[in-house]
Amino acid sequence: MIALKNMYNTIRLSDWKYSFMPLIVGWIYLSILLLKIEICLQLFFTGVLYMISSSGFAALGFFINNYFDIEFDKNSGKTNSLSAISGIAKFKTFLLIVFLAFAPWIWLPSNHISWGLMFLEIILFLIYSIPSIRLKETWFLAGIIDAGYAYLIPFLLCFYTFSLFSDRLSQINIFSLGIAFFLVGYSNILIHQINDLEYDLRTGIKTLPMVLGLHNSIKTVKIGIILEGFFFLYFCLFDAGNLALGIVLGVFYLYYILIIYNLETHVSKIHPHNHFYQIYFPIILLVIILLEHHLVFLILIPHILLFVPGFIKKSVAHF
């Protein structure tokens, strides 16, 4: 119980309810929609197991990053949640996180490609954080690696896992969709770095916005989001042939491009980018699935109750 409490506190698990978990759930819904998976009890349990494993991997990345940041954060006066617990407590927390990440794969469908993606995820965690490499301080690579381990690889692993579940491995090309989700991650990281620009200047951390400057960084975000929308629409209309999803995403990106078009001095209006994928995107997917599988209504209400409360006012304020 102590290790569980340490894990909950040190990785801020409560913060993930409205950020990370809806993103993973959205990828599961997207896989169900694209692969035309029949709704059944086995699918439900597979989804729960995958969410547990995804939480474990996210916690592992958070743990590794914080562990190697302890001394750096101490010197810069930044709070590090791992510095408050003992070495034994850190070890127990680490073991629990590893268990959560890998134990579900006893039951989840997998093969050598699945394990290769998981191995690559861990490699990216390490080269991003360990002092001898620490690519998080390499301005031109940090965002690429972050988008890779936080968005691209988790999406690919999710879609591949449910492809194995559905036995429809070669029926759909997700290359353009993978690029789109990579760009989602890279845009979000760049937005985060722009918002942290003043802090990074004080601490001496070199990031892409420090090199490009604020104006060019915002311009890069705009280009990234336009490309992101292009690849999403290309996938929906040509690879997946899903007109309904293409129309919804097209309306969102048209609206969103209008929001960011005149953005020059700050990025406060750019948060709908996160809110869309954390709140609206999963619900839209559920509604589309609901048109064919009415039992999905039993998932829609719990999803809204679990992941939307607390964000409704913020979402309305931004939109």
Side-chain angles (χ1 to χ4, degrees), residues 26-133:
W27 288 337
I28 294 174
Y29 298 159
L30 182 61
S31 301
I32 293 170
L33 176 65
L34 295 176
L35 296 166
K36 303 184 188 321
I37 302 175
E38 289 296 321
I39 306 301
C40 60
L41 194 59
Q42 185 182 2
L43 175 62
F44 174 78
F45 285 119
T46 301
V48 171
L49 287 171
Y50 188 80
M51 287 173 64
I52 292 171
S53 175
S54 296
S55 298
F57 271 101
L60 182 60
F62 191 91
F63 183 94
I64 290 172
N65 187 52
N66 266 21
Y67 180 79
F68 288 113
D69 272 357
I70 290 175
E71 286 302 316
F72 178 83
D73 289 342
K74 182 180 178 181
N75 294 333
S76 62
K78 184 180 178 181
T79 302
N80 186 308
S81 54
L82 282 181
S83 62
I85 62 176
S86 66
I88 294 296
K90 289 185 184 71
F91 181 68
K92 290 180 179 178
T93 301
F94 175 75
L95 289 181
L96 180 57
I97 289 172
V98 170
F99 176 80
L100 289 176
F102 289 102
W105 292 94
I106 297 172
W107 301 280
L108 286 170
S110 64
N111 60 18
H112 63 285
I113 295 177
S114 310
W115 290 97
L117 288 170
M118 287 183 264
F119 177 75
L120 181 58
E121 179 87 336
I122 294 171
I123 291 296
L124 291 182
F125 288 157
L126 292 173
I127 65 174
Y128 187 78
S129 303
I130 59 175
S132 57
I133 304 175

Side-chain angles (χ1 to χ4, degrees), residues 51-267:
M51 287 173 64
I52 292 171
S53 175
S54 296
S55 298
F57 271 101
L60 182 60
F62 191 91
F63 183 94
I64 290 172
N65 187 52
N66 266 21
Y67 180 79
F68 288 113
D69 272 357
I70 290 175
E71 286 302 316
F72 178 83
D73 289 342
K74 182 180 178 181
N75 294 333
S76 62
K78 184 180 178 181
T79 302
N80 186 308
S81 54
L82 282 181
S83 62
I85 62 176
S86 66
I88 294 296
K90 289 185 184 71
F91 181 68
K92 290 180 179 178
T93 301
F94 175 75
L95 289 181
L96 180 57
I97 289 172
V98 170
F99 176 80
L100 289 176
F102 289 102
W105 292 94
I106 297 172
W107 301 280
L108 286 170
S110 64
N111 60 18
H112 63 285
I113 295 177
S114 310
W115 290 97
L117 288 170
M118 287 183 264
F119 177 75
L120 181 58
E121 179 87 336
I122 294 171
I123 291 296
L124 291 182
F125 288 157
L126 292 173
I127 65 174
Y128 187 78
S129 303
I130 59 175
S132 57
I133 304 175
R134 201 171 172 81
L135 292 182
K136 67 183 295 182
E137 295 183 353
T138 305
W139 62 269
F140 60 92
L141 289 177
I144 294 173
I145 295 172
D146 202 311
Y149 74 62
Y151 284 83
L152 179 60
I153 294 177
F155 163 70
L156 292 177
L157 182 59
C158 179
F159 189 84
Y160 190 74
T161 299
F162 285 90
S163 296
L164 291 174
F165 177 88
S166 66
D167 198 26
R168 293 190 175 100
L169 278 177
S170 59
Q171 294 188 8
I172 189 165
N173 181 1
I174 62 165
F175 180 77
S176 56
L177 188 58
I179 294 176
F181 276 118
F182 173 82
L183 290 170
V184 171
Y186 192 81
S187 297
N188 283 337
I189 296 304
L190 190 51
I191 291 167
H192 177 76
Q193 290 178 336
I194 292 171
N195 285 326
D196 285 351
L197 186 57
E198 290 184 8
Y199 172 81
D200 292 336
L201 285 169
R202 290 198 307 269
T203 58
I205 299 174
K206 192 173 185 180
T207 61
L208 186 61
M210 292 178 66
V211 175
L212 295 180
L214 181 61
H215 176 77
N216 288 330
S217 296
I218 293 176
K219 185 181 293 186
T220 303
V221 170
K222 292 179 182 180
I223 294 171
I225 290 173
I226 291 170
L227 288 174
E228 171 192 320
F230 169 79
F231 281 108
F232 267 125
L233 293 177
Y234 181 92
F235 171 80
C236 291
L237 299 177
F238 298 103
D239 290 333
N242 194 312
L243 182 61
L245 187 58
I247 291 172
V248 170
L249 287 174
V251 170
F252 165 73
Y253 276 103
L254 178 61
Y255 169 75
Y256 194 50
I257 288 168
L258 291 175
I259 285 179
I260 67 171
Y261 183 76
N262 292 317
L263 193 63
E264 293 295 340
T265 59
H266 58 85
V267 291

